[in-house]
């Protein structure tokens, strides 16, 4: 697995840039990945990122759209506005989670 | 990293069948397209139209007759004999079992799935020929249906899209 320096810290990533170890993540890394994507993180983004991390730690899988909607209470429209062109993948990458594996 | 420019950026998915297993692939493809940032049109025609009729969309079933791949009591069980498949309640039972498995995977019921696709910016259309043939009225449809389209309008909206028939 390639290593990469993000926000001054060496992290292990896969070929697509997803962190392989969520423990190497911090908020500065999130900021830097987001700004590479052209996303300026707001409180609304952080709410999604924090839920993703918590849920991934508890369940071992990146939550799908329905779970983000029903459990975290985030509107689907908002997710597409916050993370345009691929909401779950982008949010997962910023949150330091692996690439999502769910089909829904 | 995948080359974004080389990916299809628009798909038009036709759903022509009205069984549970006939409808879900189209819904999953459309939702999955939106999740990838791909523009998605869903076009419901013939019996597939039942997926957008509010009275019937959550009552779609699996065919237990004429479905030689169907195995019971689970996917690796024995093939269900045709005459048993015809026993009243068999289709409802098979459907209930499959829906339970789908719920475990967080795959929503048809009405909720269409709402998700709509909220995700996917477009949902009904086929005019079928609407006329089935004598349907505007209030028969679920609210996510944007418009009833002729085949010509479907092609107009599909310019530059990959068309997927299910």
């Amino acid at each position: 697995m390639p290593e990469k320096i993000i926000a001054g810290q060496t992290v292990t990533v896969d070929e697509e840039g997803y962190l392989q170890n969520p423990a190497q993540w911090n908020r500065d890394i999130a900021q830097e990945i987001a700004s590479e994507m052209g996303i300026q993180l707001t409180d609304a983004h952080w709410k999604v990122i924090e839920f993703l991390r918590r849920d991934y730690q508890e369940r071992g899988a990146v939550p799908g759209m329905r779970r983000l909607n029903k459990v975290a209470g985030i509107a689907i429209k908002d997710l597409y506005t916050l993370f345009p062109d691929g909401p779950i993948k982008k949010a997962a990458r910023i949150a330091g989670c692996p690439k999502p594996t769910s089909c829904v | 990293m995948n080359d974004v420019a080389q990916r299809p950026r628009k798909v038009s998915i036709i759903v022509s069948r009205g069984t549970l297993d006939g409808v879900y692939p189209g819904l999953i493809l459309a939702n999955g397209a939106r999740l990838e940032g791909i523009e998605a049109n869903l076009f419901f025609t013939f019996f597939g139209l039942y997926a957008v009729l509010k009275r019937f969309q959550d009552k779609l079933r699996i065919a237990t007759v004429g479905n030689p791949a169907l195995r019971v009591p689970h996917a690796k069980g024995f093939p269900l004999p045709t005459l048993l498949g015809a026993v009243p309640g068999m289709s409802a039972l098979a459907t209930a079992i499959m829906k339970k498995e789908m719920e475990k995977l967080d795959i929503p019921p048809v009405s909720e799935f269409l709402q998700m696709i709509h909220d995700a910016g996917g477009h949902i259309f009904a086929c005019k020929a079928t609407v006329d043939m089935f004598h349907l009225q505007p209030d028969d449809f679920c609210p996510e249906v944007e418009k009833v389209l002729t085949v010509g309008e479907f092609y107009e909206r599909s310019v530059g899209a990959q068309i997927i028939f299910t």
Side-chain angles (χ1 to χ4, degrees):
Chain A
M1 285 288 176
E3 293 202 324
K4 197 177 167 187
I5 297 171
I6 306 175
Q9 202 175 315
T10 308
V11 293
T12 316
V13 294
D14 70 3
E15 314 78 67
E16 294 179 78
Y18 292 88
L19 261 65
Q20 293 304 285
N21 179 1
Q24 291 180 329
W25 179 92
N26 61 40
R27 289 173 76 97
D28 292 338
I29 290 175
Q31 296 275 15
E32 190 163 317
I33 298 174
S35 63
E36 264 175 38
M37 292 174 181
I39 295 172
Q40 192 66 44
L41 296 181
T42 63
D43 287 350
H45 292 94
W46 283 113
K47 190 181 164 198
V48 177
I49 293 165
E50 276 155 17
F51 178 78
L52 275 182
R53 285 188 63 80
R54 201 167 53 239
D55 208 51
Y56 178 73
Q57 261 154 19
E58 282 167 14
R59 297 165 46 102
V62 175
M65 192 51 92
R66 193 185 188 205
R67 214 176 140 72
L68 274 162
N69 180 232
K70 298 257 157 182
V71 182
I74 300 158
I76 291 173
K77 271 184 192 161
D78 293 347
L79 279 162
Y80 277 89
T81 315
L82 294 169
F83 303 95
D85 294 333
I88 306 230
K89 283 168 85 175
K90 284 191 174 172
R93 196 143 83 80
I94 295 170
C97 296
K99 188 175 178 177
T101 52
S102 163
C103 284
V104 286
Chain B
M1 190 79 67
N2 292 343
D3 187 349
V4 170
Q6 280 181 3
R7 288 202 220 152
R9 303 318 290 168
K10 186 172 172 183
V11 287
S12 279
I13 299 156
I14 302 165
V15 177
S16 68
R17 298 196 303 123
T19 53
L20 193 75
D21 49 308
V23 163
Y24 267 96
L27 299 182
I28 291 175
L29 281 166
N31 185 60
R34 291 304 304 132
L35 282 172
E36 289 294 311
I38 298 168
E39 198 183 316
N41 294 311
L42 262 172
F43 186 70
F44 292 89
T45 184
F46 262 82
F47 289 101
L49 204 69
Y50 277 94
V52 291
L53 298 182
K54 62 184 171 201
R55 271 181 65 204
F56 308 109
Q57 61 184 170
D58 288 325
K59 294 178 182 153
L60 304 181
R61 288 188 187 177
I62 287 182
T64 47
V65 171
N67 186 358
L70 182 73
R71 287 173 181 268
V72 288
H74 48 78
K76 291 190 223 169
F78 65 91
L80 183 70
T82 297
L83 285 175
L84 279 185
V87 169
M90 198 57 95
S91 171
L93 178 69
T95 303
I97 293 170
M98 181 146 301
K99 279 187 173 173
K100 223 170 82 190
E101 291 300 323
M102 289 169 61
E103 188 61 44
K104 278 188 212 161
L105 294 173
D106 226 11
I107 300 174
V110 172
S111 58
E112 190 192 329
F113 213 166
L114 283 167
Q115 206 183 324
M116 274 174 68
I117 293 166
H118 181 260
D119 285 351
H123 302 285
I124 295 162
F125 303 106
C127 156
K128 174 141 196 317
T130 315
V131 170
D132 292 347
M133 190 168 57
F134 289 178
H135 304 290
L136 298 170
Q137 305 300 324
D139 68 294
D140 290 323
F141 295 104
C142 63
E144 291 80 20
V145 175
E146 235 174 87
K147 203 169 178 265
V148 175
L149 297 185
T150 64
V151 65
E153 289 170 317
F154 166 75
Y155 277 119
E156 283 166 17
R157 284 180 184 265
S158 298
V159 171
Q162 291 184 325
I163 297 178
I164 302 167
F165 186 88
T166 70

